[in-house]
Amino acid sequence: RSAMSGFFGGGNQQPRPKICPSCGTLVGINTTRCHQCGTNLTFSMAAINRRFSGFFGGRAPITTALLIANILLFGVSVVATLQTGQGSGLRILFSLDSEVLYRLGALWAPAIVHGEPYRLVTAMFLHGGLIHIGFNMMVLMDIGPVVEEVYGSARYLFLYTATGIGGYILSAFTPFRPHPALGVGASGAILGL
């Protein structure tokens, strides 16, 4: 662009002011922080959010990314369940193979105690059946964009993750269960939203 600008007579252009990616305010040429909202103009989640919204489309890129991640992992779970021979008939509607879900990272309290805390996060992206993921993703599509627009993408992702982990901690270590059970689903994170 700069090489061609001299050819068309525009070789002496001044630097242009920036626009804040968070609030849209016009800021100075050499400014590093927005004077209106305080967003860092060199690196900010708002700028990353704008880039993701161009890629995923819409005003809620984190919600879209969460939907895609949940659906992809459900597809992996279904394929793995079908390979074990457990997914015949209408069983996929209600339950997938528990061994497959465990290997993909489902929550199991003894595993967390024995050094696998990543299961608190991975279990949020696994679901037990088509009806389970259907209802969870329907609610996420309904409230997710609203919450993301109000709080911003970074806070929204933190809220989703923190409430999901909190829900699984309460679920895994509740004293009312006599035997530990597998836990999967985004219900705790969605309830947190």
Side-chain angles (χ1 to χ4, degrees), residues 115-163:
E116 297 178 4
Y118 64 87
R119 291 182 179 277
L120 293 169
V121 176
T122 57
M124 282 189 277
F125 297 98
L126 298 171
H127 289 82
L130 190 60
I131 292 179
H132 186 201
I133 192 171
F135 280 114
N136 275 344
M137 295 305 103
M138 181 178 68
V139 174
L140 182 62
M141 286 186 332
D142 186 38
I143 66 171
V146 175
V147 176
E148 186 172 358
E149 189 172 348
V150 169
Y151 290 107
S153 295
R155 289 186 189 117
Y156 169 77
L157 182 60
F158 175 78
L159 181 67
Y160 183 89
T161 306
T163 57

Side-chain angles (χ1 to χ4, degrees), residues 53-68:
S53 65
F55 179 72
F56 287 121
R59 302 178 107 191
I62 300 298
T63 301
T64 306
L66 289 172
L67 285 166
I68 290 170

Side-chain angles (χ1 to χ4, degrees), residues 8-89:
F8 292 108
N12 197 7
Q13 287 186 344
Q14 297 294 323
R16 301 175 127 185
K18 300 175 190 172
I19 294 180
C20 175
S22 181
C23 66
T25 302
L26 190 64
V27 295
I29 297 168
N30 299 322
T31 307
T32 58
R33 285 205 173 272
C34 176
H35 62 277
Q36 188 71 25
C37 67
T39 299
N40 185 347
L41 298 175
T42 55
F43 174 78
S44 70
M45 286 304 290
I48 293 171
N49 182 23
R50 296 251 177 173
R51 289 187 191 124
F52 275 139
S53 65
F55 179 72
F56 287 121
R59 302 178 107 191
I62 300 298
T63 301
T64 306
L66 289 172
L67 285 166
I68 290 170
N70 279 294
I71 292 169
L72 283 175
L73 277 172
F74 181 73
V76 169
S77 304
V78 168
V79 169
T81 297
L82 291 174
Q83 286 181 346
T84 62
Q86 300 292 324
S88 60

